[in-house]
Amino acid sequence: MEEIIQEALTKGVEMHVAGEFEFASQLNSSVLKLQPNHAEANHNMGLLKVDAGHDLEALPYLQTALEADTSISQFWLSYIDALIRLGEFDGARQVLDQGRGSGLK
């Protein structure tokens, strides 16, 4: 099962890079149906939403990814970036402070 999930995530990233957002979204959604708190799938879905101009819709995915694994710096940075894009500067500052407290450099 993990191998299938990893293949779907890898193909989803390839499709995202190729601009095939709908197909990439479907692949990530399939993983999230199996594992709703999957850190990488949530992060990837959040990035897809940001790239599609849906920053507000990205937040729950990025937050779930971060809650699932606080050790990955990119999860912190993606969440902070989405908050900044939405003009939520105080929220971004708070998340940055939390990240620093968790070892984010």
Side-chain angles (χ1 to χ4, degrees):
M1 179 67 94
E2 271 308 308
E3 187 176 316
I4 293 168
I5 288 173
Q6 193 54 51
E7 285 178 28
L9 292 171
T10 300
K11 188 66 172 176
V13 169
E14 289 174 13
M15 294 296 95
H16 184 169
V17 170
E20 297 288 337
F21 291 0
E22 185 60 36
F23 189 51
S25 179
Q26 290 172 2
L27 288 165
N28 284 302
S29 290
S30 67
V31 173
L32 293 174
K33 284 179 186 169
L34 296 171
Q35 296 181 10
N37 294 320
H38 192 284
E40 188 178 347
N42 273 287
H43 183 254
N44 292 348
M45 187 65 88
L47 294 180
L48 278 166
K49 295 290 185 184
V50 167
D51 286 350
H54 304 290
D55 297 327
L56 189 58
E57 292 177 29
L59 289 182
Y61 293 106
L62 296 172
Q63 184 176 9
T64 299
L66 184 54
E67 289 170 353
D69 191 346
T70 59
S71 70
I72 300 180
S73 299
Q74 189 59 53
F75 292 178
W76 289 97
L77 298 174
S78 296
Y79 188 48
I80 291 166
D81 180 60
L83 289 168
I84 290 170
R85 288 172 175 266
L86 289 166
E88 298 288 336
F89 302 115
D90 289 338
R93 212 171 279 116
Q94 289 175 341
V95 173
L96 179 58
D97 290 343
Q98 290 171 355
R100 286 181 177 149
S102 294
L104 179 66
K105 296 182 186 214

